[in-house]
Amino acid sequence: CSFDFSTKTFKQDIKKENAHDHTINTLHELRNNLLISGSNDKTIKLWDVSQNELVLKKTISEHSKEVWKVISLDNSKWASCSDDHLVIIWSSQEPFSKIQTLTNDSDVVSIIKLKNRDILVASCYNPPAVVFWNLKTYKKEQTVEDVRTGFSTHMIELINQHIAISDNRAPHPIVIIDTFEYKIIKRIYD
C-alpha cells in the first residue's frame, strides 16, 4: 500500500490480513514516520510510513473492548484508552512494550496529557466522570463526578489551566473543569 502525501490518498488498499477488522476510532503520529491506529476491533496497530508506504510493524491486542484514543505522553511513552476501563501506558521504543496499566471504574473514551504537568486526564462514560492520574506515580489524583456530558469524546486543555470537554451528541453541554482545584466551573448548553 502506498500513500501519496501530496494528495493525501492511498494508491492501493492495505492488505486485508494487515487491516483493522472494524472501524478505526483514532489515528496518531507517534513520531516521524510512525503512525498508531486504534479500532473497534480491540487492537492497536503501529504503521511505518517512512517509504511512503503503510507497513504494519506491530499489532497490539491488550485491550478487551474498543480502543478509543491513543496519544503521545512524551518522547518515551504513549497511552491508549478503551471501553475496558483501562488506560495503558506504552514505551515509544520498539518493541513498544507495556509500562503500566491504569484501571478505572468506568469506560475510558478520551485522554489528554496536561501541558507542563505530569497529569493524564481521562474522560469516562457510564458513569460519566473525569479522572486525573499522576504520570510519575501512576496513582489517581482526583475524580470529578457528575460531569453529565454523555459520551465525552472531545477534550482539550485551555490556556488557563482548565479543560473543556464535550459530547458529539446533542443536547449535552460543554463542561469547563479547573485542573488545579478539580472542579466544574461552568456548563455551556446549546
Side-chain angles (χ1 to χ4, degrees):
C1 171
S2 4
F3 186 76
D4 184 335
F5 285 92
S6 62
T7 62
K8 297 186 180 355
T9 58
F10 288 102
K11 292 185 180 173
Q12 63 185 32
D13 290 335
I14 297 172
K15 292 180 184 175
K16 179 126 177 87
E17 64 270 15
N18 291 342
H20 282 287
D21 293 331
H22 211 286
T23 305
I24 295 173
N25 295 320
T26 183
L27 185 63
H28 180 74
E29 182 180 24
L30 183 59
R31 57 179 180 266
N32 288 342
N33 300 317
L34 187 63
L35 298 177
I36 308 173
S37 56
S39 170
N40 280 356
D41 67 8
K42 308 172 195 170
T43 67
I44 297 166
K45 294 185 181 274
L46 291 102
W47 305 91
D48 182 344
V49 294
S50 61
Q51 303 299 315
N52 287 343
E53 292 185 23
L54 221 58
V55 177
L56 182 64
K57 290 186 71 73
K58 184 170 186 171
T59 298
I60 298 172
S61 301
E62 291 285 329
H63 286 291
S64 63
K65 292 191 176 179
E66 295 90 343
V67 177
W68 285 109
K69 185 111 181 220
V70 294
I71 64 167
S72 293
L73 299 176
D74 57 33
N75 290 334
S76 65
K77 295 185 293 278
W78 58 280
S80 61
C81 69
S82 169
D83 274 351
D84 60 8
H85 301 206
L86 302 178
V87 174
I88 301 177
I89 311 298
W90 305 93
S91 169
S92 294
Q93 304 304 316
E94 289 191 59
F96 311 109
S97 54
K98 181 169 38 173
I99 296 171
Q100 185 73 35
T101 301
L102 309 175
T103 304
N104 192 50
D105 298 330
S106 61
D107 305 347
V108 182
V109 295
S110 189
I111 50 177
I112 62 171
K113 181 191 177 292
L114 297 181
K115 295 176 182 93
N116 305 318
R117 291 172 61 195
D118 285 321
I119 300 291
L120 180 80
V121 184
S123 168
C124 305
Y125 177 71
N126 197 20
V130 174
V131 179
F132 295 81
W133 271 291
N134 184 311
L135 287 172
K136 288 184 179 178
T137 63
Y138 298 114
K139 304 274 188 221
K140 278 186 189 177
E141 291 273 317
Q142 190 72 30
T143 300
V144 177
E145 297 178 347
D146 195 32
V147 178
R148 294 192 315 240
T149 57
F151 194 79
S152 302
T153 55
H154 308 290
M155 184 168 42
I156 61 169
E157 183 176 10
L158 305 173
I159 58 172
N160 56 0
Q161 300 300 317
H162 297 126
I163 58 171
I165 183 169
S166 71
D167 189 347
N168 58 350
R169 296 177 282 182
H172 299 294
I174 296 171
V175 176
I176 309 297
I177 297 174
D178 184 309
T179 64
F180 280 106
E181 295 186 23
Y182 303 112
K183 67 179 187 178
I184 297 170
I185 58 170
K186 188 166 194 161
R187 292 180 196 272
I188 305 166
Y189 291 89
D190 293 340

